[in-house]
């Protein structure tokens, strides 16, 4: 399966080792359609399906084992929920999103890019 990541799982970030496991393949950069907001939760970001921003990230082809590891890291489905979102390329792809109540009081990353805060 393919997954869109936008924070600590991207190349060069702290949790990327989970995708650098020999089971995952980097596909390339991607941008969501507008309709999201990216929040800074401290050491990691969170996306909510509300707003007018596009979010920058990366696409990976992953195994079921890697997916299980990502779900555990992201606290799916109690914290982040893995669900389908739409990219600018009109591809539907799974990503981890948060409910709005988890980001109350957190700063917005207006650029839509975790690396450009």
């Amino acid at each position: 399966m393919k997954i869109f990541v936008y924070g600590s799982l991207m190349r060069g970030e702290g949790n990327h080792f989970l995708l650098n496991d020999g089971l995952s393949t980097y596909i390339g950069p991607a941008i969501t359609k507008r309709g999201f907001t990216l929040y800074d939760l401290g050491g990691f970001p969170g996306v909510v399906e509300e707003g007018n921003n596009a979010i920058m990230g990366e696409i990976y082809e992953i195994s079921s084992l890697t997916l299980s590891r990502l779900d555990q890291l992201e606290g799916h489905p109690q914290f982040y929920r893995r669900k389908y979102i739409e990219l600018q390329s009109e591809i539907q792809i799974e990503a981890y999103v948060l409910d709005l109540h988890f980001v109350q009081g957190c700063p917005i990353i207006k650029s839509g890019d975790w690396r450009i805060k």
Side-chain angles (χ1 to χ4, degrees), residues 45-60:
V47 164
V48 297
E49 293 180 289
E50 180 179 283
N52 195 32
N53 285 343
I55 307 303
M56 306 344 166
E58 299 171 346
I59 298 174
Y60 288 84

Side-chain angles (χ1 to χ4, degrees), residues 39-113:
Y39 288 87
D40 186 346
L41 283 80
F44 56 93
V47 164
V48 297
E49 293 180 289
E50 180 179 283
N52 195 32
N53 285 343
I55 307 303
M56 306 344 166
E58 299 171 346
I59 298 174
Y60 288 84
E61 179 81 34
I62 62 172
S63 69
S64 58
L65 177 60
T66 302
L67 179 62
S68 176
R69 291 174 178 158
L70 297 182
D71 282 352
Q72 184 176 5
L73 172 74
E74 304 292 13
H76 170 72
Q78 291 80 23
F79 186 52
Y80 285 94
R81 288 180 296 112
R82 183 170 30 90
K83 62 183 298 185
Y84 282 94
I85 63 166
E86 191 168 359
L87 301 178
Q88 283 185 352
S89 60
E90 299 189 7
I91 292 171
Q92 297 281 324
I93 191 167
E94 285 193 280
Y96 292 96
V97 299
L98 288 172
D99 290 329
L100 190 56
H101 70 275
F102 286 117
V103 298
Q104 294 298 318
C106 295
I108 293 173
I109 301 172
K110 294 180 182 178
S111 68
D113 188 339

Side-chain angles (χ1 to χ4, degrees), residues 2 5 7-8 15 23 26 43 71 88 104-105 116:
K2 292 181 182 167
V5 300
S8 69
N15 287 317
L23 302 172
Y26 173 72
D71 282 352
Q88 283 185 352
Q104 294 298 318
I116 304 172

